[in-house]
Amino acid sequence: MALPVEEWRLYAARRWAALDPALRERLAAAASLHDTLRLGCGLLRPETEAAALQRLCRRARTGKEPAAARFYREEGNRLFGCRHYGAAARLYSQAASHELPGSPEVSVCFANRSAAFFHLGCFEVCLEDIARAESHGYPERLLPKVLLRKAECLLCLGKLQDAADALGLVENKIAMDGVLTSPARQTLLKKLSQLKIKLHEKESCPEPAQEACGDTQRKLEIWEENDSISGASSSLSLNFDTERGRHLVASQDILPGQSLLKEEAFVSVLCPGESLLQQDSSETPWDTRATNADLYCHRCLRQLLASVPCRGCSYAKYCSQTCADVAWEQYHRTECSLGALLLTLGVFCHVALRTVLLAGFTEVHRLVEWSRGGDKDLHNPEASCKHLREAPARKAGTRDIPGCNDSGQYQSSYQAVFNLLPHAEKHSPEHKFLCMLSVVAICKELQEAGLEAAVLNHKSSEKWSKLKTCEKTSGELSPELQTMAEAMLRHVLQLQCNAQAITVMQESGSGDGAVVNKKPVRLATAFFPVLSLLNHSCCPNISVSFSGTAATVRASQPIPSGQEIFHCYDMLCCSNEACAISVSSESLSSRLRDLQQQIKKALELLRDRKADQAIKMLLKCQMDAGNFLSPEHLLMGEMEDHLAQVYATLGKWQEAARHLERSIEIVEMHHGPSSIEIGHELFKLAQILFNGFAVSEALSTIQRAEEILSVHCGPQSTQIQELQEMKTCLSELPKSILQRT
């Protein structure tokens, strides 16, 4: 959810309408963000707006609740008893997020989770959880059982000396512990004896070392980095002109698939699941459904297996203690107690806050002060670059281009982020008022929670370490926090046109049909300063893929020297090839939501075995989408996927294959011919062709899918094995059938 919750948006709209007409007119005509904050900073009244926002925040539960921990732990135990180990591990993670660090309760959560991972065969992860349980004070009386599990993991991993040491430790503890009851002691001794025998067998007959599979390793790509643009290939140059602003141009001929840019996000914020903002209800307030917040690291965005919870809240989760510690030092120390407020005000506000925290007050203050000199040009962004108009285009390295440092380099830095255009003149006064109220609410919460010192000292010089104590009227923001609010308002407005969605492919549906559906899901919202240099086109010549917080830009077609590099922003665009029609992002988002609702209804018809009606609705969705989405939009590919699924349920394999092939064209355009996304699509097509006895097409598709998936997933993956089974089955078909295909 990019914007605040609907109730707060409606509240802000009513507040705007109720303002004194003269004040409303001054706010609408404000020439700068500084003036907007100066006029509106006092409009968030504690007894009305702030109180209403506080009520909305109660729906987002981000604190540590012992009752929630008990609920999730008991649910985990129930699923563990049913041998649903993956689901049990996830619930133990949720239980751990609600327990206090260093408590016996959190150590039990980690120990229970280690048992689930042991049954899943995740031995390394199991060992990590056992270490966590021990470090958090796991009860001594229960330790022998966990140490036996540790020894068994080490045996399975072939770490025989470590396993022997662990078994010796267990043996000593059992001998010294007089608390254990006789049956429990006998069970442990029996298990200990079994593991000793297993250890002896492994020591007597060591397993041969596995040879490295060199043929599955990808060749290293030759990469020459640009001297002037951080993370960019030397095949690009940075130009500027008054019509296109800053933009990237090919400085030499570029081939399809060639990497053009590799950039780490300056800042990213995970998009939470909707279930985190629940309606008031007398039912159980804790949800067992998994959301992005449970599945991905809140710092690096890696997929979570055994999450490390935040020390202060139940919301933030990390892939390792290292990520947790770095996040705490960089920004989460400040954000932690604001979790409910940030979830209520939306991802854009959260990104804005994290951006200024990462930059540090000294840099924020410097750039805000610098910008105030040019704020008179806020409604005419190009006016500040009048000195550039004498030259129609300037090449990379010139210091005159906004965002470049003193050396003429354009880096992925806060200065580059700050110089992204907020397009304040394109936002309605009501929308700017909503954004202003929201950032003021965050800054006032920082001030009232005593977090101002932490914010201002963050990465700042020593002169800010001793805060000035000044008389402030009740509820008034300090000058320093007003500066932070001004920068945050700028960033919220920038995000409307400069936000980059970090996406991942996630499986949807039950997965028990003839076609396994995967679709791109928005995982996080981020600022990529260099990627933001690319102008929009409905016909882009590049594709963007993500790995964690890193973006890779590849050419999707031949790009001759001198041609501009184009990106399709968020995949939302008009159908006009020249992009002559200007459509608001709010309108496009609304139409997209309506379209997605219609697709959802079509899939419900399919589940109700009404395939013909589902086809009609999906075809209508395609026609409607063609009026405002480009033919290469990923949602167009998703609809092709759904049509393939419907035709497959009817046994119409040729029709299913035709739609799936169109989906593959779109996916390949966005992710490249060797991407894991293409591997998944080819796996689906192989299934369709296999079921339709299209033997030659199936065999060639299987071969291509194997080549790609073996690189991304390894030769022992489930999909590779299934592809090999299909290939074996097809090769054993009678010649009479092979000749007809």
Side-chain angles (χ1 to χ4, degrees):
M1 187 177 59
L3 297 176
V5 295
E6 185 179 8
E7 293 88 339
W8 179 242
R9 297 200 302 269
L10 293 173
Y11 194 99
R14 290 194 297 269
R15 180 77 171 101
W16 170 261
L19 287 178
D20 178 78
L23 175 58
R24 193 164 62 238
E25 187 175 338
R26 290 203 304 276
L27 279 167
S32 69
L33 298 182
H34 179 66
D35 290 343
T36 300
L37 261 299
R38 181 176 54 80
L39 290 168
C41 203
L43 296 177
L44 188 82
R45 300 168 296 185
E47 69 280 4
T48 51
E49 289 79 26
L53 189 55
Q54 193 173 29
R55 286 194 297 273
L56 291 172
C57 288
R58 292 189 191 122
R59 290 172 14 188
R61 309 171 76 106
T62 60
K64 291 187 179 293
E65 301 178 64
R70 285 193 299 273
F71 169 79
Y72 287 122
R73 189 167 57 248
E74 289 168 3
E75 282 295 297
N77 291 341
R78 184 180 64 81
L79 290 174
F80 187 93
C82 297
R83 300 187 179 184
H84 299 316
Y85 300 119
R90 181 173 51 78
L91 289 170
Y92 290 140
S93 296
Q94 289 179 289
S97 70
H98 281 279
E99 299 286 13
L100 294 174
S103 66
E105 290 79 11
V106 77
S107 72
V108 170
C109 292
F110 290 136
N112 288 358
R113 193 171 69 181
S114 76
F117 286 129
F118 177 80
H119 285 286
L120 290 169
C122 302
F123 302 122
E124 293 280 8
V125 182
C126 176
L127 289 171
E128 291 172 6
D129 263 353
I130 290 171
R132 291 186 184 108
E134 290 183 277
S135 68
H136 284 272
Y138 191 66
E140 282 287 329
R141 61 185 177 80
L142 302 175
L143 205 51
K145 184 177 179 180
V146 171
L147 291 176
L148 282 173
R149 187 180 305 141
K150 177 180 179 179
E152 193 163 3
C153 283
L154 292 167
L155 279 172
C156 292
L157 292 169
K159 299 179 179 180
L160 304 186
Q161 184 56 55
D162 291 340
D165 294 342
L167 289 173
L169 182 59
V170 175
E171 194 166 19
N172 290 336
K173 281 190 172 294
I174 293 174
M176 295 172 61
D177 196 342
V179 178
L180 285 171
T181 61
S182 182
R185 182 188 294 271
Q186 291 303 315
T187 301
L188 289 172
L189 288 172
K190 182 179 179 182
K191 183 68 174 177
L192 178 63
S193 176
Q194 291 171 346
L195 291 179
K196 280 185 171 181
I197 293 170
K198 192 173 180 180
L199 174 62
H200 179 70
E201 290 173 349
K202 283 184 172 286
E203 287 174 334
S204 303
C205 303
E207 295 178 1
Q210 293 184 349
E211 295 182 6
C213 299
D215 56 336
T216 62
Q217 295 180 354
R218 284 174 284 183
K219 294 181 181 178
L220 290 175
E221 185 176 11
I222 298 173
W223 173 266
E224 185 179 346
E225 189 159 345
N226 198 297
D227 292 333
S228 302
I229 313 164
S230 66
S233 161
S234 59
S235 60
L236 302 180
S237 63
L238 174 60
N239 286 16
F240 178 92
D241 63 41
T242 54
E243 289 186 5
R244 293 176 291 178
R246 294 166 295 183
H247 58 281
L248 295 179
V249 172
S251 57
Q252 61 189 54
D253 291 344
I254 295 170
L255 299 174
Q258 187 174 331
S259 292
L260 305 180
L261 173 65
K262 299 173 183 177
E263 183 181 17
E264 278 284 339
F266 177 82
V267 61
S268 63
V269 170
L270 192 72
C271 296
E274 293 181 5
S275 64
L276 289 166
L277 293 169
Q278 299 172 7
Q279 300 294 335
D280 295 331
S281 171
S282 59
E283 298 178 3
T284 302
W286 305 299
D287 198 334
T288 58
R289 291 174 296 176
T291 67
N292 282 346
D294 306 308
L295 300 175
Y296 296 91
C297 177
H298 287 223
R299 177 177 174 266
C300 70
L301 303 182
R302 289 192 181 94
Q303 194 159 5
L304 289 177
L305 194 55
S307 62
V308 175
C310 167
R311 67 185 78 173
C313 69
S314 63
Y315 175 64
K317 303 174 185 72
Y318 304 95
C319 64
S320 65
Q321 192 60 51
T322 300
C323 260
D325 292 342
V326 171
W328 183 263
E329 290 302 318
Q330 289 185 337
Y331 51 81
H332 194 64
R333 180 199 304 271
T334 304
E335 295 178 356
C336 187
S337 62
L338 275 62
L341 178 63
L342 295 172
L343 286 171
T344 302
L345 293 179
V347 171
F348 280 5
C349 282
H350 196 165
V351 172
L353 173 62
R354 189 170 292 180
T355 300
V356 297
L357 292 176
L358 286 168
F361 179 72
T362 299
E363 184 69 354
V364 172
H365 180 264
R366 180 183 74 83
L367 288 169
V368 167
E369 287 295 313
W370 169 81
S371 72
R372 286 173 181 170
D375 259 353
K376 59 184 178 293
D377 295 320
L378 186 64
H379 293 279
N380 183 16
E382 302 301 341
S384 60
C385 300
K386 290 176 183 176
H387 57 284
L388 293 176
R389 286 182 176 157
E390 298 175 2
R394 298 197 179 202
K395 292 186 178 180
T398 56
R399 300 184 208 176
D400 296 329
I401 297 180
C404 289
N405 62 20
D406 293 339
S407 302
Q409 294 177 318
Y410 191 93
Q411 298 178 319
S412 187
S413 63
Y414 182 65
Q415 180 170 319
V417 171
F418 193 89
N419 275 278
L420 297 173
L421 295 178
H423 292 293
E425 76 286 356
K426 295 183 180 179
H427 298 286
S428 67
E430 294 89 344
H431 180 72
K432 283 187 284 188
F433 181 73
L434 167 68
C435 296
M436 184 272 296
L437 273 187
S438 299
V439 299
V440 167
I442 293 173
C443 290
K444 285 196 172 182
E445 182 64 23
L446 288 170
Q447 187 166 276
E448 291 166 9
L451 293 168
E452 182 177 3
V455 173
L456 302 186
N457 284 332
H458 196 73
K459 288 188 179 179
S460 62
S461 60
E462 192 173 332
K463 68 177 182 178
W464 293 105
S465 61
K466 296 181 179 179
L467 297 175
K468 298 179 291 182
T469 55
C470 58
E471 294 291 328
K472 298 192 293 289
T473 59
S474 177
E476 180 185 348
L477 284 179
S478 68
E480 291 84 7
L481 281 179
Q482 286 184 37
T483 297
M484 298 294 270
E486 185 176 334
M488 287 171 61
L489 178 56
R490 180 184 187 93
H491 297 322
V492 171
L493 297 178
Q494 286 173 328
L495 284 162
Q496 298 291 326
C497 50
N498 288 290
Q500 176 63 55
I502 296 178
T503 59
V504 292
M505 296 292 288
Q506 286 185 356
E507 190 171 317
S508 61
S510 61
D512 56 358
V515 179
V516 180
N517 281 308
K518 281 183 175 283
K519 64 177 183 179
V521 174
R522 190 185 192 110
L523 176 59
T525 297
F527 268 135
F528 288 91
V530 180
L531 182 57
S532 292
L533 292 171
L534 303 182
N535 282 325
H536 166 75
S537 172
C538 286
C539 299
N541 50 16
I542 58 96
S543 67
V544 183
S545 60
F546 300 94
S547 176
T549 56
T552 299
V553 175
R554 294 181 179 86
S556 59
Q557 61 190 56
I559 305 174
S561 179
Q563 187 177 100
E564 184 175 353
I565 312 299
F566 287 111
H567 178 31
C568 189
Y569 289 170
D570 233 4
M571 300 293 102
L572 278 175
C573 52
C574 65
S575 58
N576 187 307
E577 197 167 287
C579 292
I581 301 174
S582 177
V583 185
S584 71
S585 61
E586 292 89 349
S587 172
L588 284 172
S589 296
S590 175
R591 294 175 74 177
L592 186 62
R593 282 194 299 271
D594 291 342
L595 177 63
Q596 289 169 329
Q597 285 299 316
Q598 292 301 309
I599 294 172
K600 185 177 178 181
K601 289 179 182 178
L603 295 179
E604 288 172 358
L605 289 170
L606 176 59
R607 282 192 290 271
D608 293 338
R609 301 184 183 280
K610 298 176 181 177
D612 291 337
Q613 294 180 44
I615 289 172
K616 288 179 182 178
M617 183 166 283
L618 285 170
L619 291 174
K620 183 180 183 301
C621 288
Q622 279 188 319
M623 290 183 62
D624 294 341
N627 294 323
F628 71 102
L629 297 180
S630 71
E632 295 81 20
H633 191 295
L634 280 169
L635 190 56
M636 301 294 270
E638 187 179 326
M639 284 186 281
E640 297 286 359
D641 251 2
H642 294 321
L643 282 165
Q645 183 182 7
V646 180
Y647 281 115
T649 61
L650 296 173
K652 297 183 178 180
W653 307 112
Q654 285 186 334
E655 282 292 306
R658 182 172 63 83
H659 287 287
L660 206 49
E661 285 165 353
R662 174 57 186 147
S663 172
I664 288 171
E665 291 175 8
I666 296 172
V667 172
E668 184 169 335
M669 190 175 298
H670 289 284
H671 298 287
S674 301
S675 64
I676 190 170
E677 291 83 3
I678 277 293
H680 291 314
E681 291 295 302
L682 290 170
F683 177 76
K684 287 188 267 184
L685 181 59
Q687 291 175 304
I688 293 294
L689 295 170
F690 175 85
N691 285 305
F693 290 101
V695 177
S696 58
E697 294 93 335
L699 288 172
S700 62
T701 303
I702 288 170
Q703 182 178 349
R704 187 181 169 199
E706 275 189 297
E707 291 171 355
I708 295 171
L709 291 173
S710 63
V711 169
H712 292 284
C713 308
Q716 303 304 318
S717 70
T718 304
Q719 286 182 313
I720 292 292
Q721 291 177 20
E722 190 169 339
L723 287 167
Q724 289 172 347
E725 288 172 6
M726 284 193 283
K727 183 164 61 176
T728 301
C729 186
L730 289 172
S731 63
E732 292 174 352
L733 286 174
K735 290 184 179 180
S736 57
I737 295 179
L738 292 174
Q739 289 170 354
R740 294 201 302 267
T741 61

